[in-house]
């Protein structure tokens, strides 16, 4: 992949995302598709109520348009695009219930995880049929064949990382900016390893998120919603997976991992220590993790900057070990 193609994909994704987001904002405002803010969330977020959501639609379109340049109808391109669309549809359904039907919780836990399980199973089996069960082992520097165990392993990675990105989307510019850094890292790795299709989609993801950030940076004029965050989780995970980099993805996406772990730890400890009155102990002030720092008095912009910095450090380490 030469420099002209790299810059073309980045620029195209950025421009399409920028234009689509600019067009979506007044449409979503007119349709009153504003974000509902949970009462149990940070009090400072109540002022965000009514901000247009579902901006992930523009991100998805931008990634598909720009990402197809390098991949076309190649098998790897189709499965990455399928992951983007499948989880984007799931996020759209969740947002539709929250924003349009005014159901604050959106899809039920069973509905959301049931669909995630089905999508993850289909993608894992499809990927296994394309490239087998090989995954790269960091530090050792070799690929190993996991055989049929690859399918449940891949399902776990897909579900964990998509939810990680979803939980990260809680502050202005947090998920978008973090994903730009992770996507650029995957693009560099793809170019170095000769995975042109994966590199194209990684570049498209970085450009699309950057274009969206123009309107999503603090104070955000639009949110990506679950439509965007779940779609980004799907495309980032599958882009890494076609290169066999599942074990490096948690390092590059350390923020995603910490966000989802904070929720799991909080729930587990609360349930384990719950008394007769229904009260339990909490490890964090509030979860996901970014809210813990907010509740401690840190400004939203500083929390975002800190998480971006952590992602940059982790991604530099990823490039060293790749």
């Amino acid at each position: 992949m030469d420099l002209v193609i790299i810059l073309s994909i980045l620029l195209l994704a950025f421009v399409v995302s920028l234009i689509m987001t600019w067009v979506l904002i007044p449409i979503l405002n007119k349709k009153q598709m504003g974000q509902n803010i949970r009462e149990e969330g940070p009090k400072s977020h109540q002022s965000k109520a009514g901000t247009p959501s579902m901006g992930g639609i523009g991100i998805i379109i931008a990634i598909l348009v720009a990402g197809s340049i390098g991949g076309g109808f190649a098998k790897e391109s189709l499965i990455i695009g399928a992951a983007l669309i499948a989880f984007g549809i799931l996020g759209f359904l969740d947002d539709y219930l929250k924003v349009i039907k005014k159901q604050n919780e959106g899809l039920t836990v069973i509905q959301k995880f049931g669909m995630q399980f089905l999508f993850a199973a289909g993608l894992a089996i499809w990927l296994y049929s394309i490239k087998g069960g090989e995954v790269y082992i960091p530090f050792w520097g070799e690929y190993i064949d996991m055989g049929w165990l690859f399918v449940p392993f891949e399902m776990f990675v897909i579900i964990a990382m998509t939810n990680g990105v979803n939980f990260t989307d809680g502050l202005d510019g947090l998920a978008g900016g973090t994903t730009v850094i992770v996507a650029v890292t995957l693009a560099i790795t793809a170019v170095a390893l000769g995975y042109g299709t994966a590199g194209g989609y990684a570049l498209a993801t970085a450009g699309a998120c950057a274009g969206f950030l123009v309107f999503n940076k603090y104070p955000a004029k639009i949110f990506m919603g679950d439509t965007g965050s779940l779609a980004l989780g799907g495309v980032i995970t599958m882009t890494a997976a076609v290169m066999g980099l599942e074990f490096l993805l948690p390092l590059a996406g350390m923020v995603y991992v910490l966000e989802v772990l904070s929720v799991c730890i909080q729930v587990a400890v609360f349930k384990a220590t719950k008394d007769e009155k229904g009260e339990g102990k909490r490890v964090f002030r509030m979860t996901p993790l970014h809210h813990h720092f907010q509740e401690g008095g840190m400004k939203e912009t500083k929390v975002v900057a800190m998480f971006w910095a952590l992602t940059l450090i982790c991604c530099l380490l990823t490039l060293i070990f790749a």
Side-chain angles (χ1 to χ4, degrees):
M1 186 180 296
D2 59 35
L3 183 60
V4 173
I5 295 178
I6 290 173
L7 293 177
S8 297
I9 294 173
L10 273 172
L11 183 60
L12 179 59
F14 177 85
V15 171
V16 172
S17 179
L18 185 72
I19 294 174
M20 285 296 302
T21 306
W22 177 73
V23 170
L24 279 170
I25 291 174
I27 294 175
L28 295 173
N29 270 322
K30 186 176 181 179
K31 298 290 185 180
Q32 295 184 331
M33 295 181 181
Q35 181 70 40
N36 297 315
I37 304 299
R38 295 182 299 115
E39 292 183 3
E40 62 270 25
K43 299 301 181 184
S44 60
H45 284 209
Q46 295 304 316
S47 61
K48 298 174 184 282
T51 302
S53 188
M54 303 175 77
I57 295 171
I59 296 175
I60 293 171
I61 293 173
I63 295 174
L64 286 174
V65 170
S68 62
I69 291 178
F73 293 99
K75 294 178 180 179
E76 292 81 3
S77 179
L78 292 176
I79 194 171
I80 295 173
L84 172 73
I85 294 171
F87 283 98
I89 290 173
L90 174 58
F92 179 84
L93 291 175
D94 200 34
D95 284 337
Y96 178 82
L97 293 176
K98 291 177 184 175
V99 177
I100 299 177
K101 294 296 184 180
K102 307 302 180 185
Q103 298 178 17
N104 284 349
E105 298 304 319
L107 293 170
T108 65
V109 173
I110 293 177
Q111 289 172 333
K112 182 178 282 190
F113 278 94
M115 292 180 71
Q116 286 183 0
F117 182 87
L118 289 175
F119 289 159
L123 289 166
I125 294 170
W126 186 1
L127 185 62
Y128 183 69
S129 71
I130 292 174
K131 60 178 285 293
E134 288 193 340
V135 294
Y136 180 77
I137 305 300
F139 304 106
W140 188 19
E142 297 288 342
Y143 283 85
I144 64 166
D145 192 341
M146 297 182 67
W148 65 268
L149 290 174
F150 175 82
V151 172
F153 165 75
E154 194 64 39
M155 289 174 62
F156 171 78
V157 173
I158 293 170
I159 293 172
M161 293 307 296
T162 51
N163 280 288
V165 179
N166 185 227
F167 285 137
T168 303
D169 183 34
L171 301 178
D172 296 356
L174 178 55
T178 300
T179 303
V180 168
I181 301 170
V182 174
V184 168
T185 302
L186 289 177
I188 293 172
T189 305
V191 171
L193 297 177
Y195 287 95
T197 298
Y201 267 94
L203 290 166
T205 302
C209 287
F212 181 75
L213 274 174
V214 173
F215 299 99
N216 182 241
K217 67 181 185 298
Y218 184 87
K221 296 179 178 65
I222 188 171
F223 300 137
M224 68 174 66
D226 284 2
T227 305
S229 60
L230 287 175
L232 287 177
V235 73
I236 284 291
T237 305
M238 196 51 58
T239 298
V242 298
M243 296 187 285
L245 301 180
E246 289 89 347
F247 284 111
L248 277 174
L249 186 57
L251 176 57
M254 180 59 67
V255 165
Y256 307 147
V257 175
L258 294 177
E259 295 277 32
V260 76
L261 276 179
S262 70
V263 174
C264 294
I265 292 170
Q266 188 89 321
V267 171
V269 171
F270 183 84
K271 288 186 175 181
T273 59
K274 189 160 58 174
D275 56 25
E276 296 82 3
K277 297 179 180 179
E279 291 295 325
K281 295 181 179 179
R282 290 176 170 81
V283 177
F284 305 97
R285 301 182 187 96
M286 186 180 289
T287 58
L289 187 60
H290 52 263
H291 289 326
H292 170 78
F293 293 101
Q294 262 196 303
E295 291 297 291
M298 188 176 290
K299 291 182 179 180
E300 180 172 344
T301 51
K302 288 189 176 181
V303 177
V304 172
M306 179 175 68
F307 277 42
W308 284 7
L310 175 60
T311 301
L312 180 59
I313 293 170
C314 291
C315 282
L316 289 174
L317 291 174
T318 301
L319 291 173
I320 292 173
F321 296 130

